[in-house]
Amino acid sequence: NTLRVANLDDFTPICKVADFVTLLGTYAQGFTIITEPYPETQGIYDPSLLLCCLDASIAFRPVVKRYQSVVLTSGTISPLEMYPKILGMTNVTVTMSFSITMERKCLCPLIVTHGPDQVPISSAFGLREDPSVILNYGMLFEQLVRSVPDGLVCFFTSYRYLEQVLEKWYESGVISRVLQHKLVFIETKDVVATTYALNLYRKACDSGQGAVFLSVSRGKVAEGIDFDRHYGRCVVLFGVPFQYTLSRELRARLEFLKEHYQIKESEFLNFDAMRQASQCLGRVIRSKRDYGVMIFADQRYARHDKQKKIPDWIRTFLEPGHVYMATDMAVEAARAFLLQMSQPYEEVKGAGASVLTPAALKEFQESEARGRQEPKPNSEMEQGLELDLLEEMPPEKRSRSA
């Protein structure tokens, strides 16, 4: 007999349990069940039961089986060597990384490693509570607010680190001095409040005053919000966005990757952190006519193993003198770059242009079509072979051939 329920809302909890049990019976390999006694890491006992997918190839396998050729493209697929392993792609033929074709240098990546007092800056666990590190971060933040027009976007490694740094900045007066120049908006875990803050941020940028948006990597803003044009002339990433290494879900995934794909824990953690860093910094460049400053504010980005994981379209514009920089030197470089980009310039049109208009594209296609229709003259090599053959002929045949 069918169970007839008048009000399904009264049975929502049992429906969730039924859906969860259905998932348990559907999937086996590549999945695991994780219990989290303290999911919010706040010390509050609020246990949760998770069915976690550890194998990314499960979702990608139907695509590979159905299609003969598959092309993956993205601006943050870096390093390329990791994806065939975790997606189960055994017959990869080509892995290529391309830069951006632009008419002028529209990117200015900077790696800031220390403050003017030569104290290294980093969000590493042993340095994140160091007063000198937070002070140097505050100096960098305050000077950028004074120098960067329009929108400034800052990303932190976690909500907890964002709250910790903001508390110190409030106490030292950094926030009060920043508010004299720009409004400050903060991303929270509440989606509605974050959406409202984003709308106000855009209005402040449209008014000409500019604004600052403080966000968190792996949050809503870092994943899908664009800060194109004047909404983001500079983006700063405070620290390296590693995952919370004590998470039971992450520990289970690391053990699975090590057992099935021979991927070391440090290799995957570095790959995931640099992929997330590229995701955050790429928010400010959304077209070929856009421009912006990208600041990696952590001494660990200067290491070779971190630099080679930065996508080529960013690393191409990274100058040798912009790797080991102090906070004040980075601000001067950002100011000079933005001043240069604000100057008027004559855009290249027609062939050789970075962006073709519809009319220019049509003209280019017509010229290509005319070139294919016109008969091509014999090449110099073909003409030389004809002369050699004429010389080998007897005189009577040569006159008839002529």
Side-chain angles (χ1 to χ4, degrees), residues 41-86:
T41 65
Q42 298 280 344
I44 301 175
Y45 182 72
D46 186 17
S48 63
L49 193 63
L50 304 175
L51 177 64
C52 181
C53 179
L54 306 177
D55 191 1
S57 65
I58 294 177
F60 194 70
R61 196 174 299 144
V63 178
V64 178
K65 289 183 178 179
R66 182 174 180 180
Y67 299 99
Q68 182 178 1
S69 300
V70 179
V71 180
L72 295 180
T73 61
S74 176
T76 55
I77 297 184
S78 179
L80 295 171
E81 297 79 16
M82 181 68 69
Y83 285 91
K85 295 180 182 179
I86 62 178

Side-chain angles (χ1 to χ4, degrees), residues 146-318:
R146 295 178 179 177
S147 305
V148 175
D150 300 318
L152 171 64
V153 185
C154 301
F155 289 97
F156 292 81
T157 56
S158 64
Y159 285 104
R160 177 176 293 184
Y161 190 54
L162 171 61
E163 294 171 359
Q164 176 186 338
V165 172
L166 279 181
E167 181 182 358
K168 298 296 183 181
W169 284 355
Y170 269 111
E171 294 176 356
S172 60
V174 173
I175 297 298
S176 61
R177 291 192 294 270
V178 166
L179 288 174
Q180 297 176 5
H181 302 276
K182 294 180 185 293
L183 296 175
V184 178
F185 300 92
I186 304 174
E187 178 186 7
T188 63
K189 295 181 181 180
D190 188 352
V191 178
V192 177
T194 300
T195 304
Y196 185 63
L198 275 170
N199 292 333
L200 294 178
Y201 170 82
R202 294 182 182 276
K203 288 183 179 179
C205 292
D206 291 335
S207 67
Q209 180 184 2
V212 179
F213 198 90
L214 304 180
S215 182
V216 176
S217 62
R218 307 180 194 278
K220 174 190 175 183
V221 174
E223 293 295 334
I225 303 299
D226 294 339
F227 294 94
D228 57 332
R229 297 176 289 120
H230 62 290
Y231 298 124
R233 288 305 180 200
C234 179
V235 58
V236 187
L237 180 55
F238 292 105
V240 182
F242 285 106
Q243 293 192 50
Y244 179 58
T245 55
L246 298 181
S247 168
R248 300 193 180 198
E249 183 179 351
L250 177 61
R251 300 309 307 175
R253 180 170 289 126
L254 292 176
E255 292 176 4
F256 177 86
L257 293 175
K258 185 177 181 180
E259 179 181 354
H260 291 80
Y261 298 111
Q262 291 75 49
I263 298 176
K264 298 180 181 179
E265 293 184 5
S266 59
E267 183 182 358
F268 178 78
L269 289 174
N270 279 283
F271 152 77
D272 181 71
M274 294 306 298
R275 176 184 60 180
Q276 192 61 42
S278 304
Q279 187 82 17
C280 295
L281 294 171
R283 296 295 96 194
V284 298
I285 300 296
R286 311 313 297 173
S287 68
K288 291 190 175 185
R289 292 188 176 93
D290 211 351
Y291 65 90
V293 180
M294 301 178 176
I295 298 181
F296 300 82
D298 196 300
Q299 64 170 349
R300 290 172 288 180
Y301 288 115
R303 299 175 185 172
H304 179 68
D305 64 318
K306 297 288 189 298
Q307 285 190 45
K308 69 179 182 180
K309 291 181 175 63
I310 299 175
D312 283 352
W313 65 273
I314 298 178
R315 195 169 63 243
T316 302
F317 296 93
L318 182 61

Side-chain angles (χ1 to χ4, degrees), residues 120-137:
I121 57 175
S122 176
S123 66
F125 184 76
L127 294 174
R128 64 177 55 184
E129 296 184 1
D130 190 336
S132 58
V133 173
I134 297 179
L135 175 64
N136 284 324
Y137 274 156

